[in-house]
Amino acid sequence: MEQHDHSSSPHDAPHTVSYVTYLLIWLALVMLTGLTVALAGVDLGRWIIITALTIASIKTMLVLEVFMHLKFEDKTFRLFVLVACVTFAIFITLTFFDYAFA
Amino acid sequence: MAIASAVPVSVEPDFYHTKTKYKGILGWIFTTDHKRIGILYLVTMLVFFFTAATLGVLMRLEMLTPGRTFVDAQTYNTFFTLHGIMMIFLFIIPGLPAVFGNFLMPIMIGAKDVFFPRLNLLSWWLFLFGGIFALVSVFLPGGAADTGWTFYVPYSVRTSTNVIPALSAAFILGFSSILTGLNFITTIHRMRAPGMTWFRMPLFVWSLYSTAWIQVLATPIIGITLLLIAIERWFGVGIFDPTLGGDPVLYQHLFWIYSHPAVYIMILPGLGVVSEILPVFARRTIFGYKFIAFSSLAIAFVGSLVWAHHMFTVGMSNTGMFVFSFLTFLVSIPSAIKVFNWIATLYKGSIEISAPLLFILSFIIQFCIGGFTGLILGTLAINIHVQDTYFVVGHFHYVMFGGTGFGLFAALHYWYPKMFGKMYKQAPAYISWFLATVGFNLLYFPMFVLGYEGMPRRYYDYLPEFQTVHQIATVGSWILYAGIVVMFVNLVVSLWRGEKATANPWGGETLEWKVPSPPPLENFDEIPVVTTGPYDYSKYEKAAQEVK
C-alpha cells in the first residue's frame, strides 16, 4: 500500500496516513452529505437546523483532523482551531437569540 | 527595555540604500522587506485617504445649504459611498497595522522580518488590486455604487449601479487583511527575541496581536456574505431579498458580525499607539501594563459579540436586543481600564510636550466622547430615537477619526524619524495639531445636536432649521482639512530638508529605538537578548523624586 509521508516543517515529527484511511474518510463525507440532503426533505421543525449543523460539524472535524493533519499537530495549533470553532459557535448562538425568540 | 549587551552600531547601510535584487521602482513593488512593505502601504493608503477626505469635504460643501448646492442627489450618494468604502477598507482598517505594524512590529520583538515575507508582499498586492477595483467601479458604465459602505440588501441587490465591482474590491481587501493578520500572529508567536516574553512585549505589539485575531476570525464572514450578494444578483437565488424568499435581517447580522469587530480592528492599534507614546513623553513606566495588555484581548473578544446593536430598529426579538445591549455595555469596561491607566501614567510624570503627545491627548479626549456616545447608542430606548441619525455619524467619527485617525497622526509624528531618518519642524506640527483638533470638533460635535434633533444620516436634503448647525460643521471640515494639509506638507518637505535623526530622538526604551534611524535591512546585526520590560523609566522617576 502506498503511503503519504508528510513532514512539511523540520520541527514536526514525520507522520503517515494510509490511502485506505483517506478513502474511508472520503466515503464518510459522501454519506454524511447524502444524509444532509435526505433530511432536508423531512419536516423536523426547529431541529432541522441543529441536525444540519451537527452533521456539518462532524464533516468539518473529519476534514480538519485527517485531511489537514490537525491530529498530528502540537497543542498550539489545536488551540488555535478550537478558538476559531468556539468563536463561530458563539456567533451562531448569539444570532439565534434573535431568530429563536422572534 | 534593557538588553543583555548593547546593540552594536550597525555598519550596514540603511534599508533604503541596501542593494536589492531589483532596482528602482521594482525594488519596491517586489520587495519582501517588512519595512519597505510598510512604506508601500503608507504611500498607497495616503493616496486613498486624501481622495476620501476630499470627497468628505465635498459632501460637507453640498450640505452648506438645503437642496442642491453644487451636485445632484445621485452624485451625493456616490460621494458618501466612496468616502465610506475608501476610508474604511483602504485607510483605517489597514492604516496602523499594515503601515506601522509591518514596519515596526518585527523590530519591536527583536526579529529580522515577519514570519512569511512573501505572503506579506502578496497582502500588499491584494490591497492595491482591491483599491484599484474600488476606483474602477466609479468609472464603469452603470455608475459608482450608491449603497453606502454597508451594501444593505435588498437595495444592493436591486440597484443598477456598479455594486459587483465594489463588492469585489471589499472581497479582495478582506483577503489582504486576513493574510496580514495570519502573518502577525505567526510572527509574534514564533519570532520573538530571546528574553522577549509575552509580558515584555511592547503594548503596541499586544494590540496588533489582538487585532490580528479579529482579522483572521471575522473577515472571512464578510467575504462569504459579499459573495452571497453577488450570487443573488447574478442567479436570483433568494438569500437576502424578501421578494425571492430571502431574509434582509440575516444580511445585517452577517454584515455586522464582521463589521463591528472591524471597528475594533480599526481602534485597537490606535489604543496601542497611545500606550506606546504616553510613557515616553511622561517619562513614566506605564501604569497597569498587564491590565492594558489583557484589556486589548478583552476588547477584541467582547467587541466581537456586540454586532447587533446596529440593528435595534430592524425588528429583532426583545431577548436579542437585551443580550446585545448588555454586551455593548460590557465592552466599555476594558476600554475604560485603558483610559484610567493612561491617566495614571501621566500623573506625576515629567511631561514633555511634543507633537506626538499632543495628538495623543486629543485622541484620549475624543475617544472618551466617542465612547460615551457609544453607550448612549447602546441604550435600547435612546437608540430608537437616534438610530440612523447624524448622532451615529458623530459617534462613529469621534471614535474612528478622533481616535484612530489622530492615533495614526500621532504614530506618524512619533515614528517618522525612525522610518525616514529625518526630523520634521515642530512649529508646523503644532499648528497642524491645533487646526486638526479645532476643525475636527467643530465638524463632528454639531452632528450630535443635529442627530438628537432628528436629522437623518445620508440624506441629501434637510429642513431649513438645521442649516446653521450644518454650516458650522462645514466650516469645521475646512479647518480640519487645512490642518491635515499643513501636517503632510511639513512631513513631506522634511523628507528633503529635515535634519538627520539620531537613533533615539525621543528617549524611547523599546527595541526600535536601539537600532539606527532608518534601520538596516535586517534590523539587527545580532538578535538582542531582552532582560527587562519595555517601559523602564525608573531612572527618570528617581531623578524626579530627588529634585522634589
Side-chain angles (χ1 to χ4, degrees):
Chain A
M1 176 61 63
E2 278 185 300
Q3 300 224 309
H4 172 62
D5 183 13
H6 179 84
S7 54
S8 58
S9 54
H11 65 273
D12 286 339
H15 49 257
T16 55
V17 179
S18 72
Y19 282 138
V20 173
T21 308
Y22 280 143
L23 195 64
L24 288 173
I25 296 298
W26 177 73
L27 282 173
L29 290 171
V30 171
M31 285 168 63
L32 286 167
T33 305
L35 186 63
T36 309
V37 174
L39 286 174
V42 181
D43 184 12
L44 294 174
R46 283 188 170 184
W47 290 99
I48 188 68
I49 292 171
I50 294 171
T51 312
L53 282 176
T54 307
I55 296 172
S57 303
I58 294 169
K59 287 163 68 180
T60 306
M61 286 314 296
L62 288 174
V63 172
L64 282 172
E65 288 285 327
V66 183
F67 287 149
M68 297 178 78
H69 289 207
L70 187 64
K71 67 176 180 177
F72 301 110
E73 294 296 350
D74 64 29
K75 280 182 183 171
T76 312
F77 286 99
R78 299 180 73 84
L79 183 68
F80 279 14
V81 175
L82 184 70
V83 168
C85 291
V86 169
T87 308
F88 189 55
I90 292 173
F91 284 166
I92 289 178
T93 309
L94 284 176
T95 305
F96 275 85
F97 270 116
D98 178 17
Y99 285 94
F101 295 95
Chain B
M1 176 170 281
I3 47 184
S5 58
V7 175
V9 176
S10 180
V11 291
E12 297 287 322
D14 64 65
F15 73 97
Y16 292 110
H17 296 101
T18 306
K19 280 187 181 175
T20 51
K21 188 177 175 185
Y22 302 103
K23 286 182 180 176
I25 187 77
L26 296 181
W28 282 89
I29 63 175
F30 293 126
T31 183
T32 53
D33 176 21
H34 67 100
K35 297 179 289 298
R36 284 191 173 224
I37 291 173
I39 301 279
L40 282 176
Y41 270 113
L42 178 66
V43 173
T44 325
M45 192 193 71
L46 287 178
V47 170
F48 292 126
F49 170 70
F50 272 102
T51 310
T54 306
L55 285 170
V57 171
L58 292 177
M59 280 160 60
R60 285 310 319 165
L61 194 59
E62 172 52 40
M63 301 307 275
L64 197 63
T65 59
R68 182 188 169 106
T69 305
F70 78 106
V71 292
D72 59 22
Q74 185 63 25
T75 309
Y76 180 77
N77 289 354
T78 303
F79 278 1
F80 74 65
T81 301
L82 279 174
H83 170 79
I85 291 174
M86 284 189 181
M87 279 294 190
I88 297 284
F89 293 111
L90 293 163
F91 169 61
I92 210 156
I93 287 183
L96 282 161
V99 177
F100 298 98
N102 257 317
F103 195 102
L104 292 152
M105 184 270 284
I107 309 177
M108 288 174 120
I109 62 169
K112 292 190 171 182
D113 207 321
V114 292
F115 197 85
F116 302 115
R118 287 181 185 172
L119 199 66
N120 204 14
L121 180 62
L122 178 65
S123 300
W124 177 76
W125 274 102
L126 289 172
F127 175 72
L128 185 68
F129 273 114
I132 290 170
F133 256 86
L135 285 177
V136 164
S137 73
V138 179
F139 302 106
L140 288 175
D146 57 352
T147 58
W149 77 279
T150 53
F151 298 108
Y152 267 12
V153 293
Y155 185 68
S156 60
V157 178
R158 295 173 186 171
T159 177
S160 59
T161 54
N162 290 321
V163 168
I164 296 286
L167 287 175
S168 307
F171 189 78
I172 295 168
L173 291 167
F175 270 98
S176 169
S177 189
I178 293 168
L179 296 181
T180 299
L182 190 69
N183 220 338
F184 282 9
I185 291 174
T186 317
T187 304
I188 293 167
H189 271 272
R190 296 287 190 194
M191 297 190 71
R192 280 174 287 129
M196 177 65 79
T197 60
W198 284 93
F199 293 120
R200 284 180 185 165
M201 282 200 315
L203 288 161
F204 182 56
V205 179
W206 268 101
S207 70
L208 289 173
Y209 182 72
S210 310
T211 307
W213 270 107
I214 307 178
Q215 287 174 297
V216 170
L217 290 176
T219 314
I221 297 173
I222 190 73
I224 295 295
T225 308
L226 297 179
L227 205 59
L228 289 174
I229 291 186
I231 289 170
E232 189 154 347
R233 281 180 70 97
W234 280 329
F235 305 111
V237 180
I239 304 166
F240 302 126
D241 189 343
T243 57
L244 298 170
D247 180 1
V249 176
L250 176 64
Y251 171 80
Q252 294 197 21
H253 272 296
L254 292 173
F255 177 81
W256 288 114
I257 283 177
Y258 164 74
S259 296
H260 194 77
V263 170
Y264 294 96
I265 293 177
M266 302 173 213
I267 193 68
L268 269 170
L271 304 175
V273 170
V274 179
S275 306
E276 213 57 54
I277 292 177
L278 272 185
V280 176
F281 293 100
R283 294 288 186 263
R284 282 284 314 271
T285 306
I286 191 113
F287 191 88
Y289 172 92
K290 284 187 181 176
F291 280 94
I292 296 178
F294 282 123
S295 65
S296 292
L297 289 178
I299 290 173
F301 178 68
V302 184
S304 299
L305 312 179
V306 302
W307 72 85
H309 67 212
H310 294 268
M311 302 163 54
F312 285 156
T313 56
V314 302
M316 277 173 60
S317 73
N318 286 341
T319 311
M321 289 204 288
F322 170 78
V323 168
F324 283 104
S325 179
F326 173 75
L327 288 169
T328 302
F329 277 85
L330 215 57
V331 81
S332 66
I333 296 172
S335 308
I337 285 173
K338 282 186 186 293
V339 175
F340 289 134
N341 281 300
W342 294 333
I343 304 298
T345 303
L346 285 171
Y347 181 64
K348 288 189 176 177
S350 308
I351 295 171
E352 181 190 336
I353 293 295
S354 67
L357 184 70
L358 288 173
F359 280 108
I360 287 301
L361 295 178
S362 294
F363 175 116
I364 294 174
I365 293 167
Q366 287 155 187
F367 175 69
C368 285
I369 295 174
F372 282 128
T373 49
L375 288 178
I376 291 172
L377 284 165
T379 311
L380 286 171
I382 304 176
N383 184 280
I384 307 293
H385 178 65
V386 291
Q387 172 86 328
D388 267 342
T389 66
Y390 265 62
F391 194 94
V392 179
V393 183
H395 155 72
F396 181 74
H397 283 86
Y398 259 90
V399 180
M400 291 295 97
F401 196 173
T404 307
F406 274 67
L408 193 136
F409 296 154
L412 202 52
H413 283 87
Y414 179 59
W415 282 305
Y416 181 94
K418 184 56 57 185
M419 294 171 84
F420 302 105
K422 293 288 178 73
M423 295 301 289
Y424 50 84
K425 289 198 181 303
Q426 289 295 310
Y430 289 169
I431 292 168
S432 70
W433 162 78
F434 181 76
L435 290 175
T437 303
V438 170
F440 172 86
N441 286 286
L442 205 57
L443 166 56
Y444 293 111
F445 201 86
M447 292 189 183
F448 292 127
V449 180
L450 279 173
Y452 192 77
E453 290 185 348
M455 172 76 210
R457 69 191 294 195
R458 290 177 177 159
Y459 274 35
Y460 172 69
D461 202 357
Y462 56 83
L463 298 171
E465 55 260 41
F466 292 137
Q467 187 172 8
T468 305
V469 189
H470 267 301
Q471 284 179 337
I472 292 170
T474 301
V475 171
S477 74
W478 299 338
I479 298 172
L480 173 60
Y481 199 77
I484 294 169
V485 169
V486 171
M487 179 193 313
F488 281 97
V489 167
N490 181 33
L491 294 177
V492 171
V493 168
S494 299
L495 288 176
W496 287 275
R497 295 191 184 170
E499 287 178 18
K500 187 167 170 42
T502 58
N504 190 5
W506 311 121
E509 288 289 321
T510 38
L511 280 181
E512 78 271 26
W513 301 113
K514 314 279 184 193
V515 297
S517 304
L521 182 64
E522 294 192 327
N523 306 333
F524 304 95
D525 291 340
E526 288 174 29
I527 295 294
V529 177
V530 179
T531 55
T532 61
Y535 311 108
D536 185 10
Y537 289 96
S538 49
K539 60 184 175 187
Y540 294 100
E541 289 166 16
K542 277 180 193 166
Q545 280 180 350
E546 284 168 11
V547 169
K548 285 170 190 167

